[in-house]
Amino acid sequence: MYHEHPLRILKYSAKNIWLLIFPLLRGVHAITLDADVVYNWLKGAWIDILIIGLIIVFGFIRWYFSRITVTDEAIVHTDGVFVKVRKAIAYNRLSSVTVERSFYLRPFGGMRVYCDTCAGIFQSSDMKLMVSRKVCTEIMKNVPEVESGDSISYRHKPRLMLVLLFSVFFSSSFSGAVYLAAFFFKGGDIAKDVISVSLGKIAEETSKIPILIVQKIPAAAIGIGSFFLATWFLSFALNMLRYSGFAVKSDNRLIEIVCGTFTRRRYMITAELINYADLQQNLVMKFFKAVTVSISCAGYGSAKNQLPVIFPLKKVNSLSSGLERIGLCAGCKNEFRPRITSIWQYIWSPVITAAAIYPAALIIPEFFPKLAELAYFGIIMAEIPAIWMIFVKTAAAVTSGISIYEDRIMIRYSRWLGFHTVVAERSRLVRMRVTQTPFQRISRKCTVSLYFNGETSKRHFVKAIKISDAEKIAVLLGYDSLAFKK
């Protein structure tokens, strides 16, 4: 039987931090700096020390009754003083185990261990422990690990340049940050010119021009634009630190992933409990035939600001040498796909948006001539994302589709500006839904949505599928085809 790391006492003590309100109230009373009041406060300092001591004692008691038992079949965590909560997880039910070595815990020999099963919900770990290196070693002795030596079926360590490009593409939307920064940099200058001209005419009558206000406009705009770029750069730097040293290896049962610089993480993933693989791209990556591969597996990548990446960046033509070796499938052609005549169902929204923006370029200058330059700039900046979305949705109309082969399902679709190719075993499918809009009923089309196992219910859908094809998909997946004849 083991205890958690002694640093855990501070975590348990923090739950009683509200007791510090009493020393705080005494301190506020003494803030008058009156000599008698300060003297009386110092005389009563033992009360503050007692309260702080009680907080630490409460934390110690909680830590003492938090016990870890490692058996040959399961890991058991018992918590609670008066009401005991006993949580046991069998090793053969583990979907993933994460060992995390934070840079601030290393001097104290502390480590975090997260154990997850497919029974979890809301993307929270089923068991969270802060333990010493010794206890972590005892736990990991019983957790299944990738066999070393010649038995390893796959090993991959991406080059630093690939991790760099991955961080660029997936750090708080690089294109969005640059777009917003450009908008404020240029927009601030134009706004300054417009207001300067207006105030100049007012000054002819008042002889008072608030020059300082005008000068602050571009400075504020540059500050806002710089903020967006700084936010992206911070996200980029954190991603580089989080995924540097990324390496993956596997055998026939397990996948081991190691990554991180300051916080080193090691993941052990049970391959047969992976819900699905998600091959993600944006339009630029699609043009260069590059892809990022993520997986849906309970416990992996579910923490805040983490992505469930298994390959940060790979060429599409090299996927077969990676995915199939870890139990996944690279892909095939679309068996059921939208007809090219259905492209309007994909692009109607950005097309209407782009068309509605253009008349503003003609109307605003007519009524507000002084704002013409600012209006033209704003309209151009509004047209850019709308036109970009048209390109994205056109590509989605051409590439989307569903394939069913052997025991696997593949669905290609687009969500917002990203492209997804989801590959899963049929046994992971939990629901199929077919919906129609009034316009789709006229053209005998529908939207097919598929849902797979996972801690969250995520929809994967393809629009503009023929009703007859939806019926075939339902039959292949074992559903009643009569439901789609109505």
Side-chain angles (χ1 to χ4, degrees):
M1 185 175 294
Y2 306 97
H3 288 288
E4 293 186 83
H5 196 281
L7 283 177
R8 194 67 170 175
I9 296 174
L10 300 178
K11 177 70 174 180
Y12 289 129
S13 298
K15 296 182 179 181
N16 298 295
I17 201 71
W18 61 270
L19 291 173
L20 289 177
I21 191 173
F22 300 107
L24 179 63
L25 292 176
R26 282 178 20 85
V28 171
H29 181 65
I31 205 169
T32 59
L33 298 181
D34 182 88
D36 293 334
V37 174
V38 173
Y39 175 74
N40 291 330
W41 181 80
L42 291 175
K43 283 180 61 178
W46 65 271
I47 299 176
D48 303 338
I49 298 173
L50 177 62
I51 292 175
I52 294 173
L54 284 175
I55 292 175
I56 296 175
V57 168
F58 287 153
F60 176 81
I61 293 173
R62 285 289 310 277
W63 169 82
Y64 182 78
F65 284 95
S66 175
R67 298 175 179 177
I68 303 167
T69 304
V70 180
T71 68
D72 294 335
E73 293 80 23
I75 176 173
V76 182
H77 181 216
T78 305
D79 192 17
V81 181
F82 300 107
V83 179
K84 297 287 186 179
V85 178
R86 185 173 181 271
K87 185 182 294 185
I89 298 180
Y91 300 122
N92 60 2
R93 296 297 183 184
L94 288 169
S95 60
S96 67
V97 177
T98 305
V99 178
E100 184 179 279
R101 298 177 60 196
S102 301
F103 67 93
Y104 53 85
L105 289 180
R106 290 179 190 175
F108 305 98
M111 310 176 78
R112 287 191 176 92
V113 179
Y114 303 89
C115 300
D116 288 272
T117 68
C118 293
I121 58 174
F122 306 127
Q123 293 187 325
S124 60
S125 293
D126 298 323
M127 185 180 292
K128 303 177 185 179
L129 302 172
M130 182 190 292
V131 296
S132 63
R133 189 187 300 272
K134 176 184 176 181
V135 177
C136 181
T137 301
E138 291 298 319
I139 293 174
M140 296 306 293
K141 282 181 181 179
N142 296 277
V143 173
E145 295 184 329
V146 174
E147 297 179 2
S148 59
D150 298 334
S151 60
I152 295 178
S153 61
Y154 183 75
R155 189 193 300 269
H156 175 68
K157 186 173 184 179
R159 298 193 301 271
L160 180 61
M161 180 57 67
L162 295 180
V163 178
L164 178 68
L165 291 174
F166 167 78
S167 299
V168 168
F169 285 127
F170 288 88
S171 297
S172 299
S173 182
F174 173 65
S175 57
V178 173
Y179 170 81
L180 289 173
F183 178 82
F184 284 102
F185 287 158
K186 184 61 178 176
D189 290 335
I190 296 175
K192 176 186 176 182
D193 295 338
V194 171
I195 296 175
S196 296
V197 172
S198 300
L199 291 177
K201 293 184 178 181
I202 295 174
E204 294 177 359
E205 299 180 0
T206 63
S207 300
K208 294 179 181 179
I209 303 177
I211 299 297
L212 294 178
I213 297 177
V214 179
Q215 291 177 342
K216 289 181 180 179
I217 292 175
I222 291 173
I224 296 173
S226 301
F227 169 76
F228 285 113
L229 287 181
T231 301
W232 172 82
F233 183 79
L234 177 62
S235 177
F236 165 77
L238 291 176
N239 272 345
M240 279 297 298
L241 294 174
R242 189 176 292 121
Y243 296 103
S244 61
F246 190 97
V248 57
K249 64 180 180 180
S250 71
D251 55 22
N252 295 328
R253 303 174 300 113
L254 302 167
I255 302 171
E256 180 180 342
I257 297 174
V258 178
C259 63
T261 302
F262 290 119
T263 299
R264 196 68 174 165
R265 295 182 177 90
R266 179 177 174 227
Y267 303 92
M268 301 299 302
I269 302 169
T270 304
E272 64 178 11
L273 296 181
I274 294 176
N275 299 315
Y276 57 82
D278 187 0
L279 287 62
Q280 302 178 18
Q281 297 172 296
N282 56 34
L283 194 58
V284 176
M285 294 172 65
K286 203 170 190 67
F287 179 79
F288 288 102
K289 296 184 178 180
V291 65
T292 291
V293 183
S294 300
I295 58 174
S296 170
C297 182
Y300 180 55
S302 59
K304 185 179 180 181
N305 297 325
Q306 292 185 24
L307 299 173
V309 178
I310 196 167
F311 296 118
L313 207 64
K314 282 182 76 75
K315 297 289 288 184
V316 173
N317 55 15
S318 66
L319 284 176
S320 58
S321 62
L323 291 180
E324 293 177 354
R325 294 184 181 181
I326 60 174
L328 303 173
C329 189
C332 62
K333 295 181 178 180
N334 289 326
E335 186 178 358
F336 305 99
R337 58 189 306 172
R339 297 290 180 88
I340 193 63
T341 54
S342 303
I343 191 172
W344 179 249
Q345 294 191 33
Y346 282 81
I347 67 172
W348 69 269
S349 180
V351 167
I352 292 176
T353 301
I357 292 172
Y358 178 73
L362 305 175
I363 297 173
I364 293 177
E366 290 292 330
F367 292 94
F368 307 98
K370 298 176 183 179
L371 300 179
E373 186 179 2
L374 185 61
Y376 288 141
F377 173 75
I379 289 166
I380 291 172
M381 295 299 291
E383 286 282 13
I384 290 174
I387 294 173
W388 185 260
M389 183 67 79
I390 292 174
F391 285 120
V392 170
K393 295 307 178 183
T394 300
V398 175
T399 59
S400 296
I402 298 174
S403 299
I404 301 172
Y405 53 97
E406 297 178 356
D407 62 340
R408 299 188 183 273
I409 304 170
M410 173 176 288
I411 176 169
R412 292 185 174 95
Y413 67 100
S414 171
R415 178 180 276 119
W416 293 104
L417 297 175
F419 298 89
H420 298 262
T421 301
V422 172
V423 185
E425 295 182 358
R426 293 196 195 189
S427 60
R428 299 298 176 188
L429 182 69
V430 295
R431 183 158 63 111
M432 175 182 175
R433 188 177 69 178
V434 177
T435 57
Q436 280 185 308
T437 64
F439 295 104
Q440 285 179 330
R441 289 184 181 180
I442 298 173
S443 59
R444 297 289 297 169
K445 301 291 194 312
C446 64
T447 298
V448 177
S449 302
L450 301 178
Y451 299 81
F452 300 99
N453 283 342
E455 292 181 300
T456 59
S457 179
K458 191 170 184 179
R459 177 181 174 230
H460 311 279
F461 61 94
V462 178
K463 297 188 293 185
I465 294 290
K466 293 174 62 177
I467 286 291
S468 57
D469 286 343
E471 185 177 353
K472 293 176 183 177
I473 293 171
V475 172
L476 290 173
L477 295 178
Y479 291 98
D480 184 5
S481 63
L482 297 178
F484 305 99
K485 291 182 178 181
K486 298 180 182 178

